[in-house]
Amino acid sequence: MDQWKGNRNPDDPQEGYFVGLMNACGYRTEDLKKPIIGIANSYTDVNPGHRPFRELAEHVKEGIWAAGGVPAEFNVPAPCDGMAQGDGMHTILPQRDLIASAVEAMARAHGFDGMVFLCSCDKIVPGMLMAAAALNKPSLLLTAGSMVPYDAPEGTYVTPDLKESIGSRNVGKIDEETFTRFRENICNSCGTCSMYGTANTMGVFAEVIGVCPIDSTTMLYCSGAKYRMARTVGERIVSLTKEGIRFRDIVTEKSIINGLRHVAATGGSTNAQLHICALAEVMGIEMDLARFDEIQREVPCVAKFKPSSRYNLCDYYKAGGVGATMKAIRQYLYPECALAMGGTVGTFLDSFSRPVDPEIIHSCEDPLYPDGCYAVLYGNLAPGGCLVKKSGVVPEMFRHRGPAVCFDSEDELRTAMANQQIRPGCVLVIRYEGPKGGPGMREMSIPAAMLVGMGLHTSVAMVTDGRYSGATRGPCIGHVTPEAWDGGPIAAVRNGDMIEIDIDRHSIHLEVSDGELRERLQNISRPADHPASGFMAVYRRIVNGVNSGCTWLYGEGK
């Protein structure tokens, strides 16, 4: 401990400029001889998952000061996927890499010795994981905790119920008064939406790979335990920094496999494929769609949560939390993987003793699904593959055959749904929404939820080169590769073409001959109403595909 030396030496006259500017910020010269811990804070007033960080950051700082370190807070963007639905969604996935590069650039510029990442939501958690991997400094993540569910006379509701109510209102299943009450109350507090969407999937992933305290994500944002945890994180990052324990000492290929297996065992978001592959890309680890599928198939699915079941994130925590689901699949995890908060996966599970609710968290001997929660489908419609969360699909829709109804954008689809033009039995094909085509690979969150609210998720499938929210249920197939913008076969589908989907057989087939398909592809043209300007034009030019997690500022082997 006494031998620790930081990135800056305040006694060196050449550091006089640095010392003077830090003195102007209120830091004393003696403070600058201690570990300087950057706090990448994604606080914002306009995202409930991140609003708690204004207060939590202060508790982290207290812990850092108490342990003999110096906190240095800065901010980064933190968009809310829910608020960005529609046109704003074009910018959401691209912001993941912008957040990563902003954090990396700031940390390198100021020479911080260690890092705490305050992050909660869909693109911010993976963006900060990518930054941590690129920086390879001592690092810890802390999520804000989950939103308080809404207890109504009819039952308990969380965010996906609000989205589905849009469809229910659209077809008259609920009246205007009920809909107004839902939209004013279902998002009941700050914290991440109380469902197993992308935000919580990636928060829990960060816990399992070892860089975020266990239960950080599932506990309520307003609990005393969260404030205590924030102080502990502040203290622990100083210890890690003094000991020289870096991000890649904790996060390895084996720990990423642990995290992926746990995601598959708990019914995680399909977006996890993009973000896990992107993190692997930054670290130079081989991980494409095929390997993602190979790894996730190895483990049974032992739990699933809203919207794929009636249990919300608070129920998950009370049922035993992340430790309980890790213990349920212990035989599939590498026990030697380290946890930055101390010990290893094995030692943590040896000491885990919380009561577990077997109705919510199953055993490997009594799984919900024997081979993960996803299915990667291949066929002439998606030669490079496509992805569906089978744990969110009703059994009668595992095999579906129906006529295609084609849309060249999400906007066209939403108009048709609002006008109640969707008929049972069809396959909705939404194209030119891939990473380049959109651009930005928009999620079809609202249309997918409306489909459920309209009662069509048991008779209508959706297929897109875009993606879906983690809060999606129903036969929603995304990540179709190659995308339409790159001349993928999805661009050649015509209204009325029959499409057959078989999740059990991992197949998706367009009933058009190879010759006919080739001829059609030779005569397609990109739609003119998908413009890209500013940074989105740059994104379209350089973004990688689904297999690399749609990275664009981070390349292989970085």
Side-chain angles (χ1 to χ4, degrees), residues 254-290:
K254 284 185 176 180
S255 60
I256 288 177
I257 291 172
N258 279 354
L260 172 49
R261 286 175 174 165
H262 187 268
V263 164
T266 50
S269 165
T270 51
N271 286 314
Q273 182 265 313
L274 299 176
H275 303 320
I276 293 173
C277 288
L279 175 60
E281 181 83 356
V282 176
M283 298 184 69
I285 294 170
E286 180 189 349
M287 184 69 69
D288 59 11
L289 181 60

Coordinates of all heavy atoms in Angstrom, one line a residue, residues 254-290:
K254 N -13.6 -16.2 -19.7 CA -14.4 -17.1 -18.9 C -15.5 -16.3 -18.1 O -16.6 -16.8 -18.0 CB -13.5 -17.8 -17.9 CG -12.7 -19.0 -18.5 CD -11.9 -19.8 -17.5 CE -11.2 -21.0 -18.1 NZ -10.5 -21.7 -17.1
S255 N -15.2 -15.1 -17.6 CA -16.2 -14.4 -16.9 C -17.3 -13.9 -17.8 O -18.5 -13.8 -17.4 CB -15.6 -13.3 -16.1 OG -14.9 -12.3 -16.9
I256 N -16.9 -13.5 -19.0 CA -17.9 -13.1 -20.0 C -18.9 -14.3 -20.4 O -20.1 -14.2 -20.5 CB -17.3 -12.6 -21.3 CG1 -16.7 -11.2 -21.0 CG2 -18.3 -12.5 -22.4 CD1 -16.0 -10.5 -22.1
I257 N -18.3 -15.5 -20.5 CA -19.1 -16.7 -20.7 C -20.0 -16.9 -19.5 O -21.2 -17.3 -19.7 CB -18.2 -17.9 -20.9 CG1 -17.5 -17.8 -22.3 CG2 -19.0 -19.2 -20.9 CD1 -16.5 -18.9 -22.6
N258 N -19.5 -16.7 -18.3 CA -20.4 -16.8 -17.1 C -21.6 -15.9 -17.2 O -22.7 -16.2 -17.0 CB -19.6 -16.5 -15.8 CG -18.8 -17.6 -15.3 OD1 -18.9 -18.7 -15.7 ND2 -18.0 -17.3 -14.3
G259 N -21.3 -14.6 -17.6 CA -22.3 -13.6 -17.7 C -23.3 -14.0 -18.8 O -24.5 -13.8 -18.6
L260 N -22.9 -14.5 -19.9 CA -23.8 -14.9 -21.0 C -24.6 -16.0 -20.6 O -25.8 -16.1 -20.9 CB -23.0 -15.2 -22.3 CG -23.7 -15.8 -23.4 CD1 -25.0 -15.0 -23.8 CD2 -22.8 -15.8 -24.7
R261 N -24.0 -17.0 -19.9 CA -24.8 -18.2 -19.5 C -25.9 -17.7 -18.5 O -27.0 -18.2 -18.6 CB -23.9 -19.2 -18.9 CG -23.1 -20.0 -19.9 CD -22.1 -20.9 -19.3 NE -21.4 -21.7 -20.3 CZ -20.3 -22.5 -20.1 NH1 -19.7 -22.5 -18.9 NH2 -19.8 -23.2 -21.1
H262 N -25.6 -16.8 -17.6 CA -26.5 -16.3 -16.7 C -27.7 -15.6 -17.4 O -28.8 -15.7 -17.0 CB -25.9 -15.5 -15.6 CG -26.8 -15.1 -14.5 ND1 -27.5 -13.9 -14.5 CD2 -27.1 -15.8 -13.3 CE1 -28.2 -13.9 -13.4 NE2 -28.0 -15.0 -12.7
V263 N -27.3 -14.7 -18.3 CA -28.3 -14.0 -19.1 C -29.3 -15.0 -19.8 O -30.5 -14.9 -19.7 CB -27.7 -13.2 -20.2 CG1 -28.7 -12.7 -21.3 CG2 -27.0 -11.9 -19.6
A264 N -28.8 -16.1 -20.4 CA -29.6 -17.1 -21.0 C -30.4 -17.9 -20.0 O -31.5 -18.3 -20.3 CB -28.7 -18.1 -21.8
A265 N -29.9 -18.0 -18.8 CA -30.6 -18.8 -17.8 C -31.7 -18.0 -17.1 O -32.6 -18.6 -16.4 CB -29.7 -19.3 -16.7
T266 N -31.8 -16.7 -17.3 CA -32.7 -15.8 -16.7 C -33.6 -15.1 -17.6 O -34.3 -14.1 -17.2 CB -32.0 -14.8 -15.7 OG1 -31.0 -14.2 -16.5 CG2 -31.4 -15.5 -14.5
G267 N -33.6 -15.5 -18.9 CA -34.6 -14.8 -19.9 C -34.2 -13.4 -20.2 O -35.1 -12.6 -20.3
G268 N -33.0 -13.1 -20.5 CA -32.5 -11.8 -20.7 C -32.9 -11.2 -22.1 O -33.5 -11.9 -22.9
S269 N -32.7 -9.9 -22.2 CA -33.0 -9.2 -23.4 C -32.2 -9.7 -24.6 O -31.0 -10.0 -24.5 CB -32.7 -7.7 -23.2 OG -32.7 -7.0 -24.4
T270 N -32.8 -9.7 -25.8 CA -32.1 -10.0 -27.1 C -31.0 -9.0 -27.3 O -30.0 -9.3 -28.0 CB -33.0 -10.1 -28.3 OG1 -33.8 -8.9 -28.3 CG2 -33.9 -11.3 -28.2
N271 N -31.1 -7.8 -26.8 CA -30.1 -6.8 -27.0 C -28.8 -7.2 -26.4 O -27.7 -6.7 -26.7 CB -30.5 -5.4 -26.5 CG -31.6 -4.8 -27.4 OD1 -31.4 -4.7 -28.6 ND2 -32.6 -4.3 -26.8
A272 N -28.8 -8.1 -25.4 CA -27.6 -8.6 -24.8 C -26.6 -9.2 -25.8 O -25.4 -9.1 -25.7 CB -27.9 -9.7 -23.7
Q273 N -27.2 -9.7 -26.9 CA -26.3 -10.3 -28.0 C -25.4 -9.1 -28.5 O -24.2 -9.3 -28.7 CB -27.1 -10.9 -29.1 CG -26.3 -11.5 -30.2 CD -26.1 -10.6 -31.4 OE1 -27.0 -10.0 -31.9 NE2 -24.9 -10.5 -31.9
L274 N -26.0 -8.0 -28.8 CA -25.3 -6.9 -29.4 C -24.2 -6.4 -28.4 O -23.0 -6.2 -28.8 CB -26.2 -5.7 -29.8 CG -27.3 -6.0 -30.8 CD1 -28.2 -4.8 -31.0 CD2 -26.7 -6.4 -32.1
H275 N -24.6 -6.3 -27.2 CA -23.7 -5.6 -26.2 C -22.6 -6.6 -25.7 O -21.5 -6.1 -25.5 CB -24.5 -5.1 -25.0 CG -25.6 -4.2 -25.4 ND1 -25.4 -3.2 -26.4 CD2 -26.9 -4.0 -25.0 CE1 -26.5 -2.5 -26.5 NE2 -27.4 -3.0 -25.7
I276 N -22.9 -7.8 -25.6 CA -21.9 -8.8 -25.2 C -20.9 -9.0 -26.3 O -19.6 -9.0 -26.1 CB -22.5 -10.1 -24.8 CG1 -23.3 -10.0 -23.5 CG2 -21.4 -11.2 -24.6 CD1 -24.1 -11.2 -23.1
C277 N -21.4 -9.0 -27.6 CA -20.4 -9.1 -28.7 C -19.6 -7.9 -28.8 O -18.4 -7.9 -29.2 CB -21.2 -9.4 -30.0 SG -21.9 -11.1 -30.1
A278 N -20.2 -6.7 -28.5 CA -19.4 -5.4 -28.6 C -18.3 -5.4 -27.5 O -17.2 -5.0 -27.8 CB -20.4 -4.2 -28.5
L279 N -18.6 -5.8 -26.3 CA -17.6 -5.9 -25.3 C -16.5 -6.8 -25.6 O -15.3 -6.5 -25.5 CB -18.3 -6.3 -23.9 CG -17.3 -6.5 -22.8 CD1 -16.6 -5.2 -22.4 CD2 -18.1 -7.0 -21.5
A280 N -16.9 -8.0 -26.2 CA -15.9 -8.9 -26.6 C -15.0 -8.3 -27.7 O -13.8 -8.5 -27.8 CB -16.5 -10.2 -27.1
E281 N -15.6 -7.5 -28.6 CA -14.9 -6.9 -29.7 C -13.8 -6.0 -29.1 O -12.7 -5.9 -29.6 CB -15.9 -6.1 -30.6 CG -15.2 -5.4 -31.8 CD -15.0 -6.3 -33.0 OE1 -15.3 -7.5 -32.9 OE2 -14.6 -5.8 -34.0
V282 N -14.2 -5.2 -28.1 CA -13.2 -4.2 -27.5 C -12.1 -5.0 -26.9 O -10.9 -4.6 -27.0 CB -13.9 -3.4 -26.4 CG1 -12.9 -2.5 -25.7 CG2 -15.0 -2.5 -27.1
M283 N -12.4 -6.2 -26.3 CA -11.3 -7.0 -25.6 C -10.6 -7.9 -26.5 O -9.7 -8.6 -26.1 CB -12.0 -7.7 -24.5 CG -12.6 -6.8 -23.4 SD -13.3 -7.7 -22.0 CE -11.8 -8.3 -21.3
G284 N -11.0 -8.0 -27.8 CA -10.3 -8.9 -28.7 C -10.6 -10.4 -28.5 O -9.9 -11.3 -28.8
I285 N -11.8 -10.6 -28.0 CA -12.3 -12.0 -27.7 C -13.3 -12.4 -28.8 O -14.2 -11.6 -29.2 CB -13.0 -12.0 -26.3 CG1 -12.0 -11.8 -25.2 CG2 -13.7 -13.4 -26.1 CD1 -12.6 -11.6 -23.9
E286 N -13.2 -13.6 -29.3 CA -14.1 -14.0 -30.4 C -15.5 -14.2 -29.9 O -15.7 -15.0 -28.9 CB -13.5 -15.4 -31.0 CG -14.4 -15.9 -32.1 CD -14.0 -17.3 -32.5 OE1 -12.9 -17.8 -32.0 OE2 -14.8 -18.0 -33.2
M287 N -16.4 -13.5 -30.5 CA -17.8 -13.7 -30.0 C -18.7 -13.1 -31.1 O -18.9 -11.9 -31.3 CB -18.1 -12.9 -28.7 CG -19.5 -13.1 -28.2 SD -19.8 -14.7 -27.6 CE -18.8 -14.8 -26.1
D288 N -19.3 -14.0 -31.9 CA -20.3 -13.5 -32.9 C -21.6 -14.2 -32.6 O -21.8 -14.8 -31.6 CB -19.8 -13.9 -34.3 CG -19.6 -15.4 -34.5 OD1 -20.0 -16.2 -33.6 OD2 -19.0 -15.8 -35.5
L289 N -22.6 -14.0 -33.5 CA -23.9 -14.5 -33.2 C -24.0 -16.0 -33.1 O -24.6 -16.5 -32.2 CB -24.9 -14.1 -34.4 CG -26.4 -14.5 -34.3 CD1 -27.0 -13.9 -33.0 CD2 -27.1 -14.0 -35.5
A290 N -23.2 -16.7 -33.9 CA -23.1 -18.2 -33.8 C -22.6 -18.6 -32.5 O -23.1 -19.6 -31.8 CB -22.3 -18.7 -34.9

